[in-house]
Amino acid sequence: MSMHNPKSLRRRTAQATTQSTRSATPPPPSEPAVRQKAPKQPQTMPYLQAQVVHYKPRVSVLDKELTTVSYHGLLNFLLLLLSATLIRLAIENYLKYGILVTIPGASVSRLDWLATLAGLLAVVASFLAAFAIEKGAIPAATMRCAEPHIESKSLGVGVPPEEKFTIVMHLANLAFVLTAPACITYFAIFQPALGTLVMAFACIMFLKLYSLAATNFDLRRAYRLNDSHLDSDPLSFSSISRGRLVVCSTQFCQPEASGISALPNGCCLPTKTRASFSLNALALAKAPVGADDRIDAKADALPQPRPRQRSASTASQVLSRIADASGPISAAETVAAHSDSEAATAAPSMQTAARWSVGEQPSTVDDGAAARHKVARHRIQYSVAYPSNVTLCNFGYFWLAPTLCYQPSYPRTVGPIRKSFLAKRLAELVIIGIAMYVLIQQYAVPTLVGSVKAIDKRDGFWLSERVLKLSVISAIVWFLGFYAVFHAGLNALAEMLRFADRAFYLDWWNSVDLAAYWREWNLPIHYFCKRHIMLPLISAPLSLPVNVGVMLTFLVSAIMHELLFGIPTHCLRGYSFVGMMMQIPLIQLTQWLVRWRGPESGLGNAVFWISFCIVGQPLGVVQYYYTWVKNNP
């Protein structure tokens, strides 16, 4: 029965069919006919505890040799921490004092306003007097020499007889512009803010009128000598060697004996100079330029102002141009040109660079890297010749221009005034002015009141706490004031006057020595001191050493600071004078730190911040406020 079972029959038939199919189909070539199992390998534990960790020399992240690390996160944390501290101080101040801010000028008496107006009118009168003096000092055509004198010795030194009366009148006018507003401020103005305003205008006008008189003195001398191009200037082939100004020529210069190198044009230049450094411009330290020429090079390398568009250059590109340039930075490259009206419309390529509507095309100032040692980097050449510049319009432009150095012509921008740029700067002035007033009234005044009590009780720890607390507000107000004056204010004024040279400051916050700070934070003052104080002192007939010139320059600056801060507060005790003169030993200290630890260490920069913002400014404010309170109970 099993043989005839249909289920078993179908099962055997299917198995036979499957076996025949497998035998007819050959196996694929990629697979072996018979698969054999691989023998099992014995498993071992990895050497987990013997892995190599230290395999090459490396430095710490915070090491000064590692220059590629970013501190962005730490900077964010410090900013947040500072913000939290300021918010806490604001809450504490409100809980303790309430709202102290009042309407500005509400408590100022009518007498103060009238005395302020009288002081400002005295300043304006001195300007008109200076114009009248210069107008009357124009020499007649018969007083000019028949032939031009090219040799430098023909320029001479000293004061010509016909100039003595003009100099006496200018000196009397300069004395008036300081003494008249100073007397009005000291005896008639009670409010220190108004007194500071009057004295600031008086000091600025004093410097401007001095520059105007001194510059026109040289222009008149060149006019009498028939030297219209002023190319006989001895400073154009002078240099500073071994702390003195050296006027070099091929017949007098002995490079082998003096230890200085000679240029092809006969100028003798020192082979080594001591330079100041900047944390963001360390490449400049390798450039063979002096300290003042370094400032000129950094200022010349700034991007040119382009109307209605932003410059594509960044700070790093600017510094790399100075460091990587094989040749000198010429005036034609960095300042474009002083082009006349026809030159402004001549070439379309001029649209890609800064263009000037007044002036001339200056020549290349440097023939080689060593030529940067020359004291005079630019030729004396103006588009307005003397005496055509002695006009009320020309002098009035200089009065309003954001500079302290008079020139018959200035670089001017071409095109309309940028209204949006001007509106931004004016808005910044208003906003920053309000912020400064609120900070002073709400935070600085209570701290100063507490400092008076600390001084009366002779409590040194309490006074130190007051000074350190005031340092925060003082630093914030000072930074806001710097931005308002040197960036917003001067740029707005330059835009309205189309004054093209907008280099009013450099990166002074990176200064590793105080000398670099005093050169870079206020370029108008730096140029004035170099042009009208340093060069006349170290040149003939005085020929003083450079170090003596530096000390006398700080002496003049100390006197001006004392007038600016001592007279409005009725405190002529020499606080500002001593503070400025103390900068000389601090400069020596910071420069010694730079030579000892290098500019990368930041020790000189720390000394600068501590001496200037953390201790110097708040301590000076406390001293002046205490004296003012005691003199006006």
Side-chain angles (χ1 to χ4, degrees):
M1 291 180 63
S2 61
M3 295 180 59
H4 299 282
N5 190 350
K7 294 181 179 182
S8 61
L9 180 61
R10 286 195 296 272
R11 187 182 300 112
R12 289 194 297 271
T13 303
Q15 291 177 356
T17 303
T18 303
Q19 292 178 359
S20 62
T21 303
R22 289 178 179 177
S23 61
T25 303
S30 60
E31 296 182 0
V34 180
R35 293 183 178 181
Q36 298 181 357
K37 295 182 178 181
K40 294 183 178 181
Q41 297 292 337
Q43 296 183 355
T44 58
M45 290 293 293
Y47 301 105
L48 301 177
Q49 315 303 322
Q51 298 298 313
V52 177
V53 176
H54 308 285
Y55 54 88
K56 67 175 183 179
R58 291 176 292 189
V59 299
S60 299
V61 175
L62 297 179
D63 197 290
K64 66 178 182 179
E65 297 180 3
L66 189 62
T67 59
T68 58
V69 66
S70 175
Y71 300 99
H72 183 70
L74 287 177
L75 181 61
N76 286 341
F77 168 71
L78 293 177
L79 291 177
L80 292 174
L81 185 62
L82 177 62
S83 301
T85 303
L86 294 178
I87 293 174
R88 183 195 66 81
L89 291 176
I91 296 175
E92 179 184 355
N93 180 273
Y94 174 75
L95 295 176
K96 189 173 182 180
Y97 304 107
I99 301 297
L100 301 176
V101 180
T102 59
I103 299 177
S107 60
V108 179
S109 65
R110 184 179 180 182
L111 179 61
D112 281 0
W113 289 113
L114 293 177
T116 301
L117 180 60
L120 297 179
L121 290 178
V123 173
V124 176
S126 64
F127 169 77
L128 297 177
F131 169 72
I133 295 171
E134 285 297 326
K135 196 72 175 178
I138 299 177
T142 56
M143 299 179 62
R144 302 187 66 184
C145 297
E147 297 181 358
H149 294 266
I150 304 300
E151 297 181 0
S152 60
K153 63 180 181 180
S154 63
L155 293 179
V157 294
V159 180
E162 58 272 12
E163 285 288 335
K164 292 183 179 180
F165 177 76
T166 303
I167 292 177
V168 170
M169 294 297 295
H170 272 302
L171 291 178
N173 188 43
L174 291 174
F176 173 80
V177 77
L178 279 184
T179 56
C183 293
I184 294 174
T185 302
Y186 192 83
F187 295 106
I189 300 179
F190 173 78
Q191 182 65 30
L194 293 179
T196 303
L197 176 66
V198 172
M199 289 307 302
F201 273 91
C203 291
I204 292 174
M205 183 58 69
F206 174 83
L207 298 178
K208 282 179 174 285
L209 293 184
Y210 183 89
S211 178
L212 187 144
T215 304
N216 280 283
F217 173 81
D218 282 348
L219 293 177
R220 276 194 303 273
R221 185 172 55 166
Y223 179 76
R224 288 192 179 95
L225 296 172
N226 201 17
D227 187 12
S228 59
H229 298 289
L230 286 82
D231 51 3
S232 303
D233 182 22
L235 292 181
S236 61
F237 46 87
S238 300
S239 62
I240 295 178
S241 175
R242 298 180 180 180
R244 286 186 178 272
L245 185 70
V246 179
V247 180
C248 301
S249 61
T250 54
Q251 56 182 343
F252 297 107
C253 184
Q254 301 294 334
E256 294 80 10
S258 58
I260 51 181
S261 57
L263 294 179
N265 58 2
C267 297
C268 302
L269 306 175
T271 56
K272 295 182 180 180
T273 57
R274 179 178 299 175
S276 58
F277 299 93
S278 175
L279 291 178
N280 278 354
L282 296 179
L284 290 174
K286 301 179 181 179
V289 296
D292 290 335
D293 290 331
R294 184 182 306 276
I295 302 302
D296 295 336
K298 289 177 66 175
D300 287 348
L302 293 175
Q304 303 166 1
R306 299 183 180 182
R308 300 186 182 279
Q309 65 180 6
R310 295 184 178 180
S311 175
S313 300
T314 60
S316 59
Q317 293 173 345
V318 169
L319 298 175
S320 63
R321 287 178 57 193
I322 305 175
D324 300 336
S326 57
I329 301 177
S330 63
E333 175 189 359
T334 57
V335 194
H338 292 334
S339 60
D340 294 326
S341 58
E342 61 270 10
T345 58
S349 62
M350 289 294 293
Q351 298 178 358
T352 61
R355 297 178 299 175
W356 323 120
S357 61
V358 177
E360 76 291 339
Q361 174 80 26
S363 60
T364 302
V365 295
D366 295 329
D367 297 326
R372 299 181 187 178
H373 291 292
K374 290 191 297 184
V375 176
R377 300 179 68 248
H378 304 278
R379 291 182 58 189
I380 303 177
Q381 188 174 358
Y382 303 107
S383 62
V384 180
Y386 186 87
S388 301
N389 64 304
V390 185
T391 62
L392 189 60
C393 181
N394 186 283
F395 285 9
Y397 183 88
F398 168 63
W399 179 18
L400 299 176
T403 180
L404 298 176
C405 295
Y406 173 74
Q407 295 180 186
S409 61
Y410 292 96
R412 303 280 293 276
T413 57
V414 173
I417 296 175
R418 297 174 294 177
K419 297 181 181 179
S420 60
F421 178 86
L422 180 61
K424 290 178 182 178
R425 301 290 84 80
L426 294 178
E428 289 173 350
L429 273 176
V430 174
I431 295 173
I432 292 176
I434 295 174
M436 292 174 61
Y437 178 76
V438 171
L439 289 173
I440 292 173
Q441 291 292 324
Q442 187 68 34
Y443 300 100
V445 172
T447 305
L448 290 172
V449 172
S451 66
V452 173
K453 298 179 181 179
I455 295 176
D456 289 337
K457 293 183 178 181
R458 301 294 190 270
D459 193 337
F461 287 100
W462 189 11
L463 179 61
S464 300
E465 186 270 339
R466 293 287 92 183
V467 170
L468 292 177
K469 185 176 181 179
L470 184 63
S471 65
V472 179
I473 304 301
S474 174
I476 295 175
V477 171
W478 188 79
F479 273 104
L480 291 176
F482 167 81
Y483 186 90
V485 173
F486 288 93
H487 187 76
L490 294 184
N491 270 288
L493 187 60
E495 188 67 24
M496 288 187 290
L497 298 175
R498 298 194 300 134
F499 189 87
D501 189 359
R502 310 292 173 88
F504 305 119
Y505 57 91
L506 295 176
D507 56 336
W508 56 266
W509 47 87
N510 296 315
S511 303
V512 296
D513 63 81
L514 279 172
Y517 163 75
W518 287 112
R519 295 188 191 100
E520 298 183 4
W521 92 278
N522 190 341
L523 286 186
I525 288 290
H526 165 71
Y527 291 143
F528 178 90
C529 293
K530 179 182 176 182
R531 183 192 194 196
H532 295 298
I533 302 178
M534 274 294 297
L535 289 181
L537 289 176
I538 65 178
S539 303
L542 298 178
S543 300
L544 298 177
V546 175
N547 292 334
V548 177
V550 171
M551 293 186 64
L552 293 178
T553 302
F554 270 96
L555 178 63
V556 175
S557 179
I559 295 174
M560 298 299 293
H561 277 78
E562 185 65 24
L563 294 176
L564 184 60
F565 297 110
I567 291 180
T569 57
H570 303 170
C571 174
L572 293 175
R573 297 191 177 182
Y575 296 143
S576 295
F577 181 87
V578 174
M580 283 300 302
M581 297 306 296
M582 286 297 296
Q583 300 300 309
I584 298 177
L586 286 176
I587 288 174
Q588 299 297 325
L589 174 62
T590 53
Q591 289 181 345
W592 177 79
L593 290 175
V594 170
R595 294 192 298 269
W596 175 44
R597 300 292 296 174
E600 299 89 351
S601 65
L603 286 178
N605 187 263
V607 172
F608 154 67
W609 288 116
I610 293 173
S611 62
F612 194 77
C613 288
I614 299 179
V615 177
Q617 284 186 355
L619 186 59
V621 172
V622 167
Q623 291 173 330
Y624 277 112
Y625 183 81
Y626 179 82
T627 306
W628 184 78
V629 169
K630 294 304 178 181
N631 293 337
N632 302 278

